[in-house]
Amino acid sequence: MSEITTSSDKSGGVLEDSLEVLWAPATVFQRSATRGVGMYMLVLTAFLIIVMLATKGLLQPYMDANYDLQMIKMAEQGKPVPTEGLETIRSISSWTLLIGWSLTAVFSGIAGGIITWLAAKLVRTPLAFGRAVFIATLASVPRVIGFLSMAVQGALVNPDTITSPFSASLGPARFLDARTANSAVLAILGGIDLFTAWNIVITAIGVSVIAKTSRSSGWIVSVIAWALSVILTLLPVLLT
């Protein structure tokens, strides 16, 4: 009987946790509350690198649109737009964006962890910084699904209708033309989509489980963290 109990209480593996957090986050956080975050970042990053390399052709229209948008913004600000080596610059821009996307789990884990920790401090929820990073890393898994969604859309959508990576958003930002839309409005609406909502839910549950607080407190921390991230996204737009 003791062997059966031990087997049922055994923690899931990193890959299992990374998948199951999508539909049973409370279970994952309960059994993995004291685990280190490094392996989760490593596994998610390795998976994203594979996804990015395998779907680069499908993601290319979004990367090209992002480059074109940056050129438009530079021209509007009176900055010189390069006239030579455009294809080389475009290629470098694409690979830079691809590498950035591949490191989503790392960036989201660290930046999201800082923001979640600060949000917890604001409402006096006892959450250690390392645990905040752990929560934010697992909460980034929906963003991985978001890139798969982008790749699928890249195979189905007319490239001429793509004006930025926001064109793949499963939220209001997809209906805006990034070339003409107000940058602040685009940044705000870009923070409202299915995968962001999923991230908020996982964060709220993670905070409540790991900090051993009420679910409502977890929701408060998660929503404040989301609001802070939107504000930080807006700052570069407001300062230009």
Side-chain angles (χ1 to χ4, degrees):
M1 180 66 71
S2 61
E3 290 181 359
I4 295 175
T5 303
T6 301
S7 177
S8 63
D9 290 341
K10 185 179 180 181
S11 295
V14 172
L15 183 58
E16 182 183 346
D17 286 348
S18 299
L19 291 173
E20 195 172 340
V21 76
L22 291 170
W23 62 83
T27 300
V28 172
F29 287 118
Q30 284 166 359
R31 73 189 181 205
S32 307
T34 59
R35 278 190 167 183
V37 71
M39 281 302 297
Y40 290 88
M41 286 186 176
L42 182 62
V43 168
L44 290 172
T45 299
F47 179 74
L48 269 172
I49 289 173
I50 294 171
V51 168
M52 294 301 164
L53 293 177
T55 63
K56 184 178 182 296
L58 300 177
L59 297 173
Q60 194 63 52
Y62 296 96
M63 294 188 287
D64 288 341
N66 182 73
Y67 172 79
D68 293 337
L69 181 62
Q70 297 308 311
M71 294 299 101
I72 291 172
K73 296 300 181 184
M74 286 176 61
E76 290 176 349
Q77 295 170 11
K79 296 179 180 179
V81 177
T83 57
E84 297 181 359
L86 285 177
E87 289 308 310
T88 299
I89 297 173
R90 182 185 295 274
S91 177
I92 293 173
S93 174
S94 294
W95 280 105
T96 300
L97 188 59
L98 205 68
I99 291 170
W101 285 347
S102 298
L103 295 174
T104 292
V106 177
F107 293 149
S108 295
I110 295 174
I114 293 172
I115 293 171
T116 302
W117 178 74
L118 288 174
K121 286 289 185 184
L122 286 175
V123 296
R124 298 184 178 181
T125 296
L127 182 66
F129 175 70
R131 294 300 83 198
V133 174
F134 179 76
I135 293 168
T137 300
L138 279 174
S140 73
V141 175
R143 303 190 190 283
V144 177
I145 307 301
F147 288 120
L148 292 173
S149 170
M150 181 184 289
V152 171
Q153 292 180 69
L156 302 174
V157 175
N158 182 350
D160 294 335
T161 65
I162 299 173
T163 61
S164 79
F166 286 125
S167 296
S169 169
L170 298 185
R174 76 176 291 122
F175 302 108
L176 297 180
D177 186 333
R179 297 166 297 191
T180 57
N182 180 276
S183 297
V185 172
L186 188 63
I188 293 172
L189 294 183
I192 305 172
D193 69 354
L194 173 63
F195 302 109
T196 299
W198 208 342
N199 174 283
I200 292 172
V201 171
I202 294 174
T203 300
I205 295 173
V207 170
S208 66
V209 171
I210 290 183
K212 293 182 172 61
T213 188
S214 65
R215 196 72 91 218
S216 60
S217 294
W219 275 105
I220 291 171
V221 171
S222 186
V223 171
I224 290 175
W226 168 78
L228 289 174
S229 69
V230 172
I231 291 171
L232 290 174
T233 302
L234 274 174
L235 282 179
V237 176
L238 298 175
L239 293 175
T240 55

